[in-house]
């Protein structure tokens, strides 16, 4: 039994490759043995071998996948339902798209956080040189010239040192926090912590809501395409959703669906989606294209969430650059002014 789940990238590769082989006419046992060759990803090769042996022994694909312990509950639910409905290849394709989109989104966010983090750390280097090398040298010179820098008219040089140190600490801490967030998004736990932080911040609350909706729409699309009924699909969405407010809204939606209300109508009643998207969902339900519409909405809301998060960072970045530039400028100016005064008096 594996100790950790497959990554989103590994799941995407596995699902897309398996779907392609099934469509080409390969049996489940043959398709599952795809990753058994040397040189393949170790985790995928181990899971593929276990699945191939179990399927050859007569077990279902979903049961064999569950035994490996490397697939998330969401994927296992899709496998199970898709097998019963005979739509395994289609469901695998949608799962691959789902994990591709999720991986691409967090890669984009990670790169967006990395740039200001590197910028902050570079500014730390500049400030460190000023605070620990340049300023002490000038302080000694002015102290020798005035007898006591603290009691002279050039005492503001000491204030410049304090400003430089504060700016250095601020830039260093911010750069480290951003790097921790960027690298933390490589793991599921790190992404969950980031989502929780986004939910509580007034600047990222809307983007966090759209991101959670995107994941729900993605889940619905894959489950409905695999043949899952609306109520069961919504139940799994509720179980998968970590956004507290959205979780509560989905619970109310399920209460309505259990009374016979359609899932699109329930979403409209709870105002989960923006008005325009809510109408799209209702239109998809009425036209029998609910799967396609939920997939479309998943892409749209994910893009909006990404744009919202990036815009927050883009708006913050000039402020940070301005603060650090002003800190460096004031520090240098406070050092040079006494020197100019001394030179003009000579």
């Amino acid at each position: 039994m594996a100790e950790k789940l497959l990554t989103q990238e590994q799941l995407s590769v596995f699902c897309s490759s398996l779907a392609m082989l099934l469509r080409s006419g390969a049996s489940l046992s043959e398709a599952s043995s795809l990753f058994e060759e040397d040189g393949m990803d170790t985790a995928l090769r181990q899971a593929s071998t276990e699945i191939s042996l179990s399927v050859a022994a007569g077990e279902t694909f979903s049961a064999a996948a569950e035994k490996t312990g490397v697939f998330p509950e969401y994927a296992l639910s899709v496998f199970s339902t898709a097998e019963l409905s005979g739509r395994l290849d289609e469901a695998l394709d949608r799962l691959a798209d789902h994990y591709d989109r999720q991986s691409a989104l967090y890669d984009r966010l990670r790169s967006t956080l990395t740039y200001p983090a590197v910028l902050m750390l570079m500014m730390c280097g500049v400030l460190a040189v000023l605070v620990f090398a340049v300023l002490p040298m000038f302080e000694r010179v002015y102290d020798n010239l005035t007898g006591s820098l603290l009691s002279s008219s050039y005492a503001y040089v000491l204030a410049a040192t304090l400003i430089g140190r504060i700016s250095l600490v601020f830039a260093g801490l911010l750069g480290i926090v951003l790097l921790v967030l960027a690298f933390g998004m490589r793991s599921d736990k790190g992404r969950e912590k980031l989502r929780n932080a986004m939910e509580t911040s007034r600047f990222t609350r809307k983007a966090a809501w759209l991101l959670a909706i995107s994941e729900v729409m993605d889940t619905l699309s894959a489950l409905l395409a695999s043949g899952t009924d609306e109520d069961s699909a919504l139940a799994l969405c509720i179980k998968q959703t970590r956004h507290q407010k959205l979780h509560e809204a989905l619970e109310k939606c399920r209460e309505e669906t259990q009374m016979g209300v359609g899932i699109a109508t329930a979403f409209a009643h709870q105002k989960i989606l923006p008005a325009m998207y809510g109408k799209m969902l209702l239109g998809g339900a009425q036209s029998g294209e609910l799967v396609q519409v939920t997939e479309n909405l998943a892409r749209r809301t994910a893009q909006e969430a990404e744009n919202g998060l990036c815009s927050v960072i883009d708006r913050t970045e000039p402020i940070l650059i301005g603060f650090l530039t002003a800190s460096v400028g004031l520090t240098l100016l406070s050092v040079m002014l006494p020197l100019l005064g001394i030179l003009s008096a000579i």
Side-chain angles (χ1 to χ4, degrees):
M1 181 72 70
E3 294 184 358
K4 58 187 297 187
L5 299 178
L6 294 175
T7 65
Q8 291 179 334
E9 293 82 359
Q10 290 170 329
L11 287 166
S12 175
V13 170
F14 179 85
C15 291
S16 60
S17 301
L18 194 60
M20 179 180 61
L21 286 172
L22 290 176
R23 281 195 300 271
S24 69
S27 67
L28 265 175
S29 180
E30 292 171 340
S32 301
S33 63
L34 170 67
F35 297 96
E36 290 184 18
E37 300 176 10
D38 292 336
M40 292 291 185
D41 183 280
T42 303
L44 284 178
R45 186 168 67 246
Q46 182 179 349
S48 181
T49 301
E50 292 180 25
I51 291 174
S52 179
L53 292 173
S54 296
V55 170
E59 291 191 35
T60 62
F61 173 75
S62 56
E66 185 174 4
K67 282 178 62 177
T68 65
V70 299
F71 292 94
E73 184 178 355
Y74 164 51
L76 293 174
S77 296
V78 173
F79 293 162
S80 178
T81 308
E83 270 191 306
L84 293 175
S85 63
R87 302 176 184 175
L88 186 57
D89 56 340
E90 181 182 351
L92 285 168
D93 270 331
R94 291 188 180 277
L95 272 176
D97 291 340
H98 165 77
Y99 288 120
D100 270 337
R101 281 194 292 270
Q102 293 295 310
S103 178
L105 173 62
Y106 284 108
D107 283 344
R108 173 82 172 93
L109 293 178
R110 186 163 59 244
S111 65
T112 303
L113 288 172
T114 301
Y115 172 70
V118 172
L119 183 64
M120 291 298 104
L121 294 178
M122 289 176 63
M123 292 299 292
C124 277
V126 174
L127 287 168
V129 171
L130 283 175
V131 170
F132 297 113
V134 177
L135 286 178
M137 179 180 65
F138 276 94
E139 285 177 8
R140 286 194 295 271
V141 172
Y142 294 148
D143 200 53
N144 290 333
L145 289 174
T146 60
S148 174
L149 182 60
L150 185 61
S151 59
S152 70
S153 58
Y154 301 140
Y156 55 81
V157 174
L158 298 174
T161 302
L162 180 61
I163 292 172
R165 290 178 184 273
I166 292 173
S167 301
L168 175 61
V169 172
F170 173 78
L173 288 176
L174 184 59
I176 292 170
V177 168
L178 291 174
L179 278 181
V180 169
L181 287 175
F183 282 102
M185 278 193 285
R186 294 177 179 272
S187 67
D188 290 336
K189 287 184 179 180
R191 292 171 182 173
E192 186 173 352
K193 288 179 180 178
L194 178 63
R195 282 196 296 263
N196 292 338
M198 286 165 50
E199 287 177 33
T200 57
S201 172
R202 60 184 295 267
F203 300 107
T204 57
R205 199 174 296 153
K206 182 180 178 181
W209 176 265
L210 289 171
L211 184 60
I213 289 176
S214 170
E215 293 175 349
V216 168
M217 291 294 108
D218 234 344
T219 303
L220 276 177
S221 176
L223 289 171
L224 294 174
S226 70
T228 307
D229 63 272
E230 291 185 3
D231 185 64
S232 298
L234 188 54
L236 185 58
C237 287
I238 293 171
K239 195 172 184 179
Q240 295 287 108
T241 302
R242 296 179 178 86
H243 193 291
Q244 185 60 37
K245 288 185 178 180
L246 182 57
H247 188 278
E248 293 171 1
L250 290 176
E251 289 277 12
K252 293 178 181 178
C253 283
R254 194 179 182 209
E255 291 176 6
E256 293 193 38
T257 60
Q258 288 176 333
M259 292 187 293
V261 177
I263 192 170
T265 305
F267 269 58
H269 288 169
Q270 298 302 324
K271 298 180 180 180
I272 290 177
L273 291 166
M276 182 178 67
Y277 292 162
K279 290 179 180 179
M280 286 177 60
L281 191 64
L282 284 169
Q286 292 169 2
S287 63
E289 297 182 353
L290 190 58
V291 173
Q292 292 79 2
V293 171
T294 50
E295 186 177 6
N296 186 12
L297 288 176
R299 286 196 297 267
R300 287 172 178 263
T301 50
Q303 186 62 54
E304 281 196 35
E306 180 181 338
N307 292 340
L309 291 173
C310 291
S311 67
V312 170
I313 297 173
D314 290 341
R315 289 197 301 269
T316 306
E317 191 175 312
I319 298 174
L320 295 175
I321 293 174
F323 170 76
L324 293 173
T325 302
S327 298
V328 173
L330 288 174
T331 302
L332 287 174
L333 187 63
S334 63
V335 169
M336 297 307 297
L337 282 177
L339 181 61
L340 292 174
I342 293 171
L343 291 176
S344 63
I346 296 178

